[in-house]
Amino acid sequence: MPFQIYHLISFLVAAVVVLWTTPDVKNIGIKSGRVDQPGGRKVHQHPMVRLGGVSIFAGTVTSLLIVWWLGGFGSLPPEKEWQIWGVTLGGLGFFLIGLADDLLNLSPLSRLLMQMIVAAGAWKAGVSIDFITIPTVGIVNLDWLSLPITVLWLVGMVNAINWIDGLDGLAAGVSGIAAMVMLVVALFMNQPAAALIAAALAGAALGFLRYNFNPAQIFMGDGGAYFMGFTLASVGVIGLVKIPAFTAVLLPYLILAVPIVDMSAVILARLRRGKSPFKADKSHLHHRLLKAGLSHRWTVLFIYSLTVWVGSLALAIAGIPSGIAYACAGTSLLSFAIWRVWKLSR
């Protein structure tokens, strides 16, 4: 049996579990009164259950357990096995932090401290950025800088995904597309274990869109956004960054460029206005597109096209067969989306 069949199983099982469990999670949220009220900078008009992350987490973990039971992970060396445990337990930790915030409304400082502790634990398990590859220089070991750089990457991506979760289906779609690209690149780079995690996350995220795309029936909440952000960031570390090639090191940052650039631009804009970078406002890309006159759906679809485009560039840079063709197709899709957005905004 070709080993890629395990990645297909991982994707399908996660999607099926999410599709099956999300209605039950929604009903539990309604009965318990755990809903997100409209108002302020929020764009939804009715109270919404925000516990969808429970289904995303359950689908991803169930999928990985089944694939492990079937032998899909094979016989991993101890170092790789620790990395898989670091991703799994770190994902659990971030999911619980987000779920606690959904239920108890934690303070920003307490959330950040817990995130840094969990990220440091994942670093200890091997989810670590140990070196960078510089053209003409070669491999540069980070030594003691490995811990702060890894924590910054993991915590930063967790909050980047959480920050773009402002419209129906936006974070789930962007994460699902990014996970699919990581799946393809990790397989090409001969990193099947990391690809299995990416496949499970892609199945869970895209399956959740059945209930989360506009008009949404349920939100993923911080639990889902934190879990997906950490898993994407950690798969990028164990599947790509640890490969001693300059292009491989760049790939996760390119694949996740949309949430990274959005978060960076928002922080800089807030600092220029003399405001706290963590004080929420309506300066995100999706807020600007809505203000320009785009509909909810077209705003989300345009950001999807951006994510597909940077993903197609990553496929080309990785040297995947027909990667140039994928990049051209992604550029054509983005060009059409820009033209359509220009017309709608006018």
Side-chain angles (χ1 to χ4, degrees), residues 4-344:
Q4 290 92 343
I5 195 67
Y6 292 113
H7 299 83
L8 178 60
I9 293 172
S10 180
F11 179 90
L12 292 177
V13 170
V16 168
V17 171
V18 170
L19 290 169
W20 179 36
T21 59
T22 301
D24 293 329
V25 171
K26 177 186 174 184
N27 291 333
I28 292 172
I30 293 174
K31 291 178 180 178
S32 63
R34 300 295 182 179
V35 295
D36 190 23
Q37 299 292 342
R41 56 191 290 273
K42 301 171 184 177
V43 298
H44 60 281
Q45 304 299 319
H46 308 284
M48 295 286 292
V49 175
R50 50 176 296 152
L51 298 176
V54 174
S55 296
I56 295 173
F57 175 78
T60 304
V61 172
T62 301
S63 171
L64 294 177
L65 287 173
I66 290 176
V67 170
W68 173 78
W69 177 70
L70 292 173
F73 281 96
S75 179
L76 295 173
E79 178 184 351
K80 284 286 185 183
E81 189 170 340
W82 271 108
Q83 291 173 9
I84 300 301
W85 277 111
V87 175
T88 305
L89 296 179
L92 171 62
F94 273 99
F95 167 70
L96 292 177
I97 295 171
L99 183 62
D101 187 41
D102 290 329
L103 298 176
L104 305 175
N105 195 22
L106 304 175
S107 68
L109 180 59
S110 62
R111 290 200 307 266
L112 181 61
L113 288 175
M114 288 188 285
Q115 289 172 6
M116 294 175 66
I117 291 172
V118 175
W123 171 84
K124 184 67 175 178
V127 185
S128 55
I129 303 174
D130 300 315
F131 58 84
I132 56 174
T133 305
I134 302 175
T136 72
V137 175
I139 296 176
V140 177
N141 290 316
L142 296 176
D143 297 323
W144 64 270
L145 287 173
S146 172
L147 175 58
I149 289 176
T150 302
V151 170
L152 178 64
W153 166 247
L154 296 176
V155 173
M157 273 313 307
V158 162
N159 288 284
I161 295 298
N162 190 46
W163 282 16
I164 67 167
D165 187 25
L167 296 180
D168 297 352
L170 183 54
V174 168
S175 298
I177 294 168
M180 287 295 294
V181 175
M182 281 194 176
L183 163 63
V184 175
V185 174
L187 283 174
F188 181 73
M189 296 289 185
N190 195 29
Q191 299 291 323
L196 282 171
I197 300 174
L201 186 68
L206 297 179
F208 187 66
L209 280 179
R210 163 67 179 80
Y211 305 101
N212 186 235
F213 194 72
N214 181 259
Q217 303 174 40
I218 186 173
F219 293 160
M220 70 173 64
D222 288 355
Y226 284 10
F227 173 71
M228 290 200 302
F230 172 79
T231 306
L232 285 170
S234 57
V235 167
V237 170
I238 69 171
L240 303 176
V241 173
K242 287 186 178 293
I243 298 174
F246 177 67
T247 54
V249 172
L250 284 179
L251 290 176
Y253 311 109
L254 180 58
I255 295 169
L256 297 168
V258 172
I260 291 173
V261 171
D262 180 63
M263 182 177 70
S264 302
V266 168
I267 289 176
L268 289 175
R270 291 172 182 172
L271 289 175
R272 280 200 303 267
R273 294 195 300 267
K275 296 183 178 180
S276 167
F278 306 109
K279 185 174 177 59
D281 56 23
K282 289 192 174 184
S283 58
H284 289 279
L285 175 60
H286 54 271
H287 291 130
R288 295 176 183 272
L289 291 172
L290 288 172
K291 188 177 181 180
L294 266 66
S295 68
H296 191 125
R297 285 195 173 191
W298 259 107
T299 297
V300 172
L301 291 174
F302 177 71
I303 298 176
Y304 284 179
S305 69
L306 281 174
T307 309
V308 169
W309 177 62
V310 294
S312 68
L313 294 181
L315 295 179
I317 292 173
I320 289 174
S322 302
I324 300 297
Y326 294 138
C328 291
T331 303
S332 299
L333 175 64
L334 179 61
S335 300
F336 169 76
I338 292 174
W339 171 78
R340 186 64 178 165
V341 164
W342 177 73
K343 288 197 67 175
L344 290 172

